[in-house]
Amino acid sequence: MDMSHTSEAAEVPAGYRRTQIGIIPQDWELKPIGELLEFKNGLNKAKQYFGYGTPIINYMDVFEHTGIRQEHVAGLVDVTNKEKDSYSARKGDVLFTRTSETLDEIGYASVVLEDIEAAVFSGFVLRGRPKSDELRDDYKRYCFRSEAVREQIVSKGTYTTRALTNGRALSSVLLPFPPDQDEQAAVAGALKDQDQLISDIKRLIEKKRKVREGSLQELVNGKRRLSGFSKKWEEKSFGEVFSFGSTATNSRADLASSGDLAYVHYGDIHTIFHSHLDFQSQELPRIDSALCPRATPLRNGDWLMADASEDVDGVGKAVEVLGLDEGERAVSGLHTFLLREKLKTFAPGFKGHLGNSDSLKKQYQRVMTGMKVFGVSKAALKDLVVPVPDWDEQVAIAKVLNELDSEIYALEQQLFKTTSIRDGMTQNLLIGRVRLV
């Protein structure tokens, strides 16, 4: 039965009641947060006071954690004894993000789970100090982040140059909760178990990524050879191996969800694609061919390189094109190079891994130019060298690295599924659709 608070016409099941925020259990409380918490703005200090002194809980500490412990607090600030008392952050306090770039990031809550000696909280944070013990600390980790509460917080926010919330707005937000603390404990325990599972998967993914990165650097640089391979590698210049195709010059404003060409934007090379751009699994923005008539159509095996980056490590970030069906047309865009092999030199998939080689990155950094934005030119690239293993060894290296990538992808899918389950549980448990007690 649909008991969503967005469905005003929903039937009210036995044991439930309709409220301003939707249908909740008959025996649950519904109170303005201001009856439960007393709000105070955070500490504002000049820059010279930061970096030493007492721990200060900052915006990102609150935004990134549902519960704050000593290990989460890295900031330090020099404060007077009066400021320590006035802006203290104690066990059980609920901290909310006060301001952000967007409305949907204000009012995120986190509870202080342990006493952090002399800790204070920053001006980008609001403190909600409990007026009573109606809410368990472990339950506070979740109840203020429920969909029903978040929607109210966002709707009551303001926006001028930045999105803002304040104690008055948060005080008027209605919080549904079970008065029975055993039920609060059961809800918090179930969600904590899911959080722990998510954390475990994330740690495993990070471990696998480190193994994959270590294997990649050893294998594509020839520091470790796979069994059965001993032939000396060649070295060839970019100019020997590659020709440069023409790329488009369009900005994001020219792109759409429809058009006769797929368009590879340099920003997506930096942020979305990893080693390979597989057209079978990636959905790209589109553009009309009339807007980029001189761009060279892409082929499988093309190497697409971002020629500019705001950080040094991003210079030369490249992906190999795979999975482009016959008849599918695509181009590479502004601030990219299209490198195409003059003669067949690399096995399919190998260049995508080779592009992450530290030895190539060091070469790019040696010839890059720029101050705030760094870049590399076609002329500079032509004299750089790439290692060229025997074809069969390339195939074997790509196979090893692809298998590691597949393991990471499977874990990422598991993480996505587990996170979706946790999010669904959160909404069902915190509005009382599902009862555990």
Side-chain angles (χ1 to χ4, degrees):
M1 183 177 295
D2 183 9
M3 293 171 50
S4 171
H5 64 276
T6 60
S7 177
E8 292 301 322
E11 180 183 348
V12 179
Y16 287 79
R17 59 191 170 102
R18 191 184 302 281
T19 71
Q20 300 98 307
I21 65 164
I23 298 169
I24 67 172
Q26 190 73 43
D27 58 338
W28 276 31
E29 298 279 3
L30 182 65
K31 290 187 176 183
I33 293 178
E35 291 187 16
L36 302 166
L37 305 175
E38 182 177 358
F39 286 98
K40 182 176 178 60
N41 288 340
L43 173 70
N44 288 302
K45 297 280 281 190
K47 289 183 180 179
Q48 62 264 31
Y49 291 98
F50 285 85
Y52 62 98
T54 192
I56 182 169
I57 300 173
N58 289 309
Y59 174 95
M60 291 307 297
D61 302 327
V62 176
F63 187 78
E64 292 182 346
H65 304 285
T66 58
I68 296 175
R69 300 185 184 277
Q70 176 77 58
E71 65 199 60
H72 301 137
V73 183
L76 296 172
V77 65
D78 183 34
V79 291
T80 65
N81 287 331
K82 183 177 180 181
E83 287 170 331
K84 285 182 184 179
D85 290 339
S86 184
Y87 299 100
S88 64
R90 303 173 187 163
K91 182 178 183 295
D93 285 345
V94 184
L95 303 178
F96 294 80
T97 57
R98 185 180 68 85
T99 181
S100 187
E101 297 293 331
T102 60
L103 282 167
D104 60 2
E105 291 184 350
I106 60 170
Y108 268 93
S110 182
V111 62
V112 181
L113 291 174
E114 60 189 24
D115 286 320
I116 304 169
E117 186 177 357
V120 295
F121 61 103
S122 80
F124 290 99
V125 174
L126 286 158
R127 182 188 70 196
R129 177 149 289 169
K131 295 180 177 180
S132 68
D133 58 0
E134 291 180 79
L135 299 176
R136 292 173 55 97
D137 286 352
D138 53 2
Y139 188 74
K140 294 176 196 171
R141 293 186 63 174
Y142 304 103
C143 64
F144 298 106
R145 291 196 178 209
S146 73
E147 186 177 295
V149 171
R150 290 290 310 144
E151 286 181 357
Q152 294 177 76
I153 290 173
V154 171
S155 70
K156 294 174 185 290
T158 60
Y159 192 97
T160 50
T161 56
R162 287 177 63 85
L164 292 165
T165 189
N166 55 44
R168 180 178 295 179
L170 292 177
S171 291
S172 65
V173 170
L174 296 173
L175 177 73
F177 64 95
D180 181 354
Q181 296 214 349
D182 287 340
E183 185 168 3
Q184 292 183 27
V187 169
L191 295 178
K192 183 181 178 182
D193 288 345
Q194 289 297 307
D195 282 347
Q196 184 61 55
L197 180 56
I198 289 169
S199 180
D200 291 344
I201 297 171
K202 285 181 177 179
R203 278 196 294 269
L204 186 54
I205 289 173
E206 185 60 28
K207 182 179 178 180
K208 291 283 187 181
R209 284 176 177 164
K210 287 179 180 178
V211 170
R212 190 259 188 199
E213 178 64 17
S215 297
L216 183 146
Q217 298 305 333
E218 289 179 342
L219 292 172
V220 301
N221 290 308
K223 296 177 181 177
R224 173 165 68 92
R225 307 293 294 276
L226 295 174
S227 177
F229 298 100
S230 58
K231 186 176 179 180
K232 186 178 180 180
W233 289 14
E234 294 184 75
E235 279 193 345
K236 295 185 178 182
S237 71
F238 273 73
E240 288 180 87
V241 177
F242 300 108
S243 61
F244 289 88
S246 298
T247 56
T249 58
N250 308 82
S251 68
R252 288 272 192 199
D254 291 332
L255 307 184
S257 58
S258 61
D260 56 334
L261 298 176
Y263 188 99
V264 182
H265 192 276
Y266 79 96
D268 295 338
I269 293 177
H270 281 302
T271 60
I272 298 178
F273 313 134
H274 297 297
S275 304
H276 302 87
L277 168 53
D278 188 346
F279 277 79
Q280 298 298 314
S281 59
Q282 293 284 353
E283 189 170 335
L284 274 67
R286 314 288 297 188
I287 194 170
D288 289 331
S289 55
L291 296 176
C292 46
R294 295 182 178 83
T296 303
L298 299 183
R299 298 177 188 167
N300 288 321
D302 285 345
W303 215 18
L304 307 182
M305 181 181 295
D307 70 1
S309 175
E310 293 182 357
D311 64 274
V312 171
D313 287 339
V315 174
K317 174 69 164 62
V319 294
E320 180 178 356
V321 174
L322 300 173
L324 193 59
D325 288 333
E326 186 176 349
E328 172 69 359
R329 301 168 64 204
V331 296
S332 194
L334 183 70
H335 293 308
T336 67
F337 293 146
L338 192 171
L339 291 85
R340 180 170 291 167
E341 294 170 39
K342 295 176 180 178
L343 298 173
K344 201 66 177 171
T345 305
F346 293 106
F350 180 77
K351 285 197 302 295
H353 299 298
L354 180 63
N356 289 307
S357 161
D358 284 342
S359 61
L360 280 185
K361 290 179 182 179
K362 288 177 182 176
Q363 291 187 74
Y364 300 150
Q365 291 169 13
R366 194 170 64 245
V367 299
M368 72 182 183
T369 58
M371 297 283 287
K372 293 184 178 179
V373 176
F374 306 98
V376 64
S377 67
K378 290 181 182 178
L381 274 182
K382 287 182 179 179
D383 293 327
L384 305 185
V385 296
V386 288
V388 183
D390 176 82
W391 183 277
D392 289 340
E393 188 169 2
Q394 291 181 39
V395 171
I397 290 171
K399 182 174 185 292
V400 169
L401 295 176
N402 289 342
E403 287 174 353
L404 290 172
D405 284 342
S406 294
E407 292 177 12
I408 293 170
Y409 177 76
L411 286 170
E412 288 173 338
Q413 293 300 107
Q414 183 183 351
L415 176 62
F416 176 79
K417 181 178 180 181
T418 305
T419 302
S420 297
I421 292 171
R422 190 275 314 274
D423 290 346
M425 284 179 59
T426 298
Q427 303 317 320
N428 285 325
L429 291 172
L430 294 177
I431 200 71
R433 292 191 192 99
V434 174
R435 306 290 297 273
L436 299 180
V437 174

